[in-house]
Amino acid sequence: MEIQLWRSILCPYELAVKELIVKFEHIISEHRENDLYSPIEQVSGRVKSVSSILEKMQRKHIPMERMEEEVEDIAGIRIICQFEEDIETVASLIQNRSDMTIKKNYLKHVKQSGYRSLHLIIYYTVETLNGPRKLQAEIQIRTMAMDFWATIEHSLQYKYKGDMPPHVAERLTNAADALILLDQEMA
């Protein structure tokens, strides 16, 4: 696919990420300006790279014409919370908004690797030159401890090219267990 076509496909997702970041940052500001505790500590976002999109499509056997329907995380938002109980609070905030619709809510449980996070797939509409576009975006909601672990785990997967030695995987699982206790203690 040529570069200009990719730009036209990804441009609305870039807009969605920018708008969503602003909206979640506003939630933080609104809480703080009213001397309220904010369940959101920080927010970031990204649009998946073309190579990552193509790799995922190949791995999941997604045809090009189904890309925008089946690759749910082209736009990604990460919300970091201080405490584990804040995760459900943020999910409720999103659920109650009129500008976002939750399509799917998953990964509340602990995976074998120790990964924990709440992922929401939402529909979000952006206004483009060609009119409104309803897009999917993935919102990951984690504590700071979960985010720290996930960052390290991602780096190790990259370092070992997806073939992590068993002793490293075991230590990573042990670290995840320790972080669960840390999150519980901090709560």
Side-chain angles (χ1 to χ4, degrees), residues 115-132:
Y115 179 81
R116 296 181 311 137
S117 182
L118 175 62
H119 291 208
L120 305 175
I121 304 299
I122 65 162
Y123 287 117
Y124 181 74
T125 302
V126 294
E127 293 293 331
T128 70
L129 288 176
N130 298 319

Side-chain angles (χ1 to χ4, degrees), residues 47-84:
V47 173
K48 195 180 260 317
S49 69
V50 173
S51 61
S52 291
I53 293 169
L54 292 172
E55 183 276 324
K56 187 170 198 170
M57 290 173 63
Q58 184 177 11
R59 183 172 29 92
K60 293 191 170 204
H61 308 289
I62 298 170
M64 190 58 85
E65 63 273 5
R66 300 278 310 149
M67 177 184 73
E68 291 190 80
E69 292 83 20
E70 295 188 36
V71 180
E72 299 170 318
D73 63 342
I74 293 173
I77 301 294
R78 181 165 299 142
I79 296 175
I80 308 298
C81 304
Q82 288 188 26
F83 303 106
E84 200 166 358

Side-chain angles (χ1 to χ4, degrees), residues 7-130:
R7 282 190 186 132
S8 68
I9 290 169
L10 297 182
C11 187
Y13 290 93
E14 291 167 3
L15 177 59
V17 167
K18 288 176 186 174
E19 287 184 9
L20 289 166
I21 288 172
V22 166
K23 289 178 182 210
F24 288 116
E25 286 176 343
H26 181 73
I27 291 172
I28 296 169
S29 297
E30 203 171 10
H31 277 83
R32 292 182 180 158
E33 288 169 7
N34 289 291
D35 292 323
L36 298 171
Y37 169 75
S38 175
I40 300 172
E41 182 65 22
Q42 65 187 45
V43 62
S44 61
R46 59 92 186 115
V47 173
K48 195 180 260 317
S49 69
V50 173
S51 61
S52 291
I53 293 169
L54 292 172
E55 183 276 324
K56 187 170 198 170
M57 290 173 63
Q58 184 177 11
R59 183 172 29 92
K60 293 191 170 204
H61 308 289
I62 298 170
M64 190 58 85
E65 63 273 5
R66 300 278 310 149
M67 177 184 73
E68 291 190 80
E69 292 83 20
E70 295 188 36
V71 180
E72 299 170 318
D73 63 342
I74 293 173
I77 301 294
R78 181 165 299 142
I79 296 175
I80 308 298
C81 304
Q82 288 188 26
F83 303 106
E84 200 166 358
E85 59 266 22
D86 293 338
I87 293 172
E88 288 299 327
T89 302
V90 173
S92 291
L93 285 171
I94 294 168
Q95 178 72 46
N96 293 328
R97 291 186 65 97
S98 62
D99 56 349
M100 300 173 208
T101 305
I102 295 177
K103 171 189 172 188
K104 191 187 317 182
N105 176 333
Y106 67 101
L107 280 182
K108 284 187 187 177
H109 65 285
V110 178
K111 288 175 114 178
Q112 184 179 355
S113 66
Y115 179 81
R116 296 181 311 137
S117 182
L118 175 62
H119 291 208
L120 305 175
I121 304 299
I122 65 162
Y123 287 117
Y124 181 74
T125 302
V126 294
E127 293 293 331
T128 70
L129 288 176
N130 298 319

